[in-house]
Amino acid sequence: MRIRTKAALAAASVAASMLTCSATAAPASATAGPAASAQSQAGALDVVRGKTRCFTYSYGDDGIRSVTVYFHNRCKHSRGIKVRVAQAVDDCVWVRGGDYDRKKFKGPHPTVQTVKEVGHCG
């Protein structure tokens, strides 16, 4: 629930800042429109979202040195989630029912390959 709230707050903050910037600097943005919009979008991450039987998960797809996978166990019983990442060490995390957590993977340009729900870790 906190992840969803943080994402909504961040989206509202970005929308508010874009609204105030466009309202105060309308003439300047008309001269440098494409270059300014390309710079603001270059820093944005593509978010990948998915779900399995018991888990919902998300992660940024454009990590340079690390990628963080956020996950939430929607079932009442404990389950494991196994994340396979290219250029980093794979990991399996055991999550209690109804709980959520995150796991950070470090490496040169780590890329999430698979996210699977498992019955046991180890």
Side-chain angles (χ1 to χ4, degrees):
M1 192 67 165
R2 289 190 314 180
I3 295 171
R4 191 174 299 160
T5 305
K6 287 181 182 178
L9 182 61
S13 172
V14 168
S17 67
M18 289 176 63
L19 180 63
T20 58
C21 288
S22 65
T24 59
S29 65
T31 58
S37 65
Q39 289 175 350
S40 65
Q41 291 178 357
L45 292 177
D46 293 331
V47 177
V48 177
R49 298 179 193 278
K51 66 180 183 176
T52 62
R53 193 179 88 203
C54 285
F55 284 98
T56 58
Y57 61 89
S58 64
Y59 57 90
D61 195 29
D62 193 24
I64 295 173
R65 295 182 191 258
S66 67
V67 63
T68 304
V69 179
Y70 298 89
F71 44 88
H72 176 232
N73 185 351
R74 300 174 298 143
C75 292
K76 293 182 180 179
H77 55 281
S78 298
R79 297 291 292 176
I81 185 166
K82 186 172 186 172
V83 182
R84 178 167 288 226
V85 180
Q87 306 296 328
V89 178
D90 303 342
D91 199 9
C92 183
V93 181
W94 192 253
V95 185
R96 294 186 323 204
D99 208 0
Y100 57 92
D101 202 358
R102 65 180 176 254
K103 181 68 181 171
K104 188 172 192 174
F105 298 92
K106 295 181 180 181
H109 296 287
T111 306
V112 176
Q113 293 178 331
T114 60
V115 178
K116 289 197 267 183
E117 181 179 335
V118 294
H120 65 281
C121 290

